[in-house]
């Protein structure tokens, strides 16, 4: 009886594992794109409708060469358009790279602290909000975003994306395929 139950459980586990593995190219990139896309679209929209608070920020080189106004507009443009592009899966790697740069600049300029004097201070900054007001930073969320971007940067938007659809259409057109092959995409 125990052997039959073990065999059934192993079979069930194997079936579930295979089904989940087959969804990797579809669901995981889609969820990452929607989550990151929404966050950056929302951030760009809020900046577009808000006031420029970049005037008091010290940006790292080469962004320090640009005026706060230029940095503000570039941030709005790339966050808003990048958010839309990620959600749709258009130029996923390009916009992931751009948003990674924006996130790194934001971490250096806003989320890291210049008051770190020990490793303990650095660890204290690993949080979403500086609720204590100690000025030790709040880099947890941008760090999570950077980690979430890595699969999109390396693997692209996945099979449920306009990138994938366009690549199939262009590959088919260059190979002189008929419309039946395009419908199978």
């Amino acid at each position: 009886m125990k052997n039959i139950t073990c065999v059934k459980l192993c079979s069930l586990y194997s079936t579930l594992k295979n089904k989940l593995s087959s969804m990797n190219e579809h669901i995981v990139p889609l969820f990452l794109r929607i989550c990151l896309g929404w966050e950056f679209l929302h951030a760009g929209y809020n900046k577009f409708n808000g006031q420029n608070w970049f005037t008091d920020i010290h940006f790292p080189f080469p962004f320090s060469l640009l005026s706060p106004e230029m940095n503000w507009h570039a941030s709005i443009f790339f966050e808003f358009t990048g958010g839309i592009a990620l959600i749709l899966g258009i130029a996923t790697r390009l916009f992931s790279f751009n948003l990674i740069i924006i996130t790194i600049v934001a971490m250096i300029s806003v989320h890291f602290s210049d008051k770190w004097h020990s490793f303990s201070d650095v660890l204290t900054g690993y949080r979403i909000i500086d609720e204590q007001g100690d000025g030790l930073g709040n880099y947890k969320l941008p760090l999570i975003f950077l980690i979430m971007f890595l699969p999109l940067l390396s693997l692209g938007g996945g099979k449920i994306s306009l990138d994938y659809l366009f690549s199939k259409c262009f590959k088919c057109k260059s190979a002189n395929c008929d419309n039946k092959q395009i419908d199978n995409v």
Side-chain angles (χ1 to χ4, degrees):
M1 184 69 164
K2 286 185 179 182
N3 281 343
I4 294 174
T5 305
C6 184
V7 169
K8 286 182 180 181
L9 284 175
C10 288
S11 175
L12 179 65
Y13 171 77
S14 179
T15 303
L16 182 62
K17 185 182 100 176
N18 290 338
K19 292 218 181 272
L20 289 174
S21 293
S22 70
M23 293 174 17
N24 280 345
E25 296 176 340
H26 299 81
I27 302 301
V28 174
L30 176 66
F31 284 155
L32 288 173
R33 287 190 354 255
I34 290 172
C35 180
L36 288 166
W38 175 255
E39 287 298 320
F40 280 92
L41 175 63
H42 184 67
Y45 179 79
N46 285 342
K47 283 184 180 81
F48 180 75
N49 289 316
Q51 291 186 344
N52 185 349
W53 48 267
F54 281 11
T55 54
D56 298 328
I57 295 176
H58 301 286
F59 289 99
F61 181 81
F63 300 96
S64 59
L65 300 175
L66 301 173
S67 70
E69 192 72 21
M70 281 293 293
N71 279 312
W72 180 257
H73 290 297
S75 178
I76 290 170
F77 175 78
F78 283 108
E79 287 178 357
F80 193 82
T81 58
I84 293 171
L86 283 180
I87 290 169
L88 298 175
I90 299 173
T92 303
R93 287 186 173 108
L94 173 68
F95 280 104
S96 292
F97 179 76
N98 291 332
L99 294 172
I100 285 171
I101 298 298
I102 286 174
T103 303
I104 290 171
V105 170
M107 286 176 77
I108 293 169
S109 304
V110 178
H111 299 282
F112 285 163
S113 173
D114 57 357
K115 297 180 181 182
W116 289 341
H117 301 292
S118 68
F119 188 66
S120 175
D121 290 344
V122 174
L123 292 178
T124 302
Y126 182 71
R127 57 191 171 192
I128 301 292
I129 299 171
D130 182 4
E131 292 174 339
Q132 290 82 17
D134 55 20
L136 293 176
N138 59 333
Y139 63 90
K140 185 176 189 175
L141 192 59
L143 181 61
I144 291 169
F145 286 167
L146 287 177
I147 293 167
M148 290 171 67
F149 272 122
L150 293 178
L152 296 178
L153 184 65
S154 63
L155 302 172
K159 290 189 174 183
I160 305 175
S161 69
L162 290 178
D163 283 341
Y164 184 77
L165 180 65
F166 292 155
S167 72
K168 290 296 181 186
C169 287
F170 288 126
K171 186 185 290 185
C172 196
K173 285 184 180 180
S174 66
N176 294 325
C177 299
D178 59 10
N179 288 334
K180 289 178 185 173
Q181 287 179 320
I182 292 174
D183 292 336
N184 291 332
V185 171

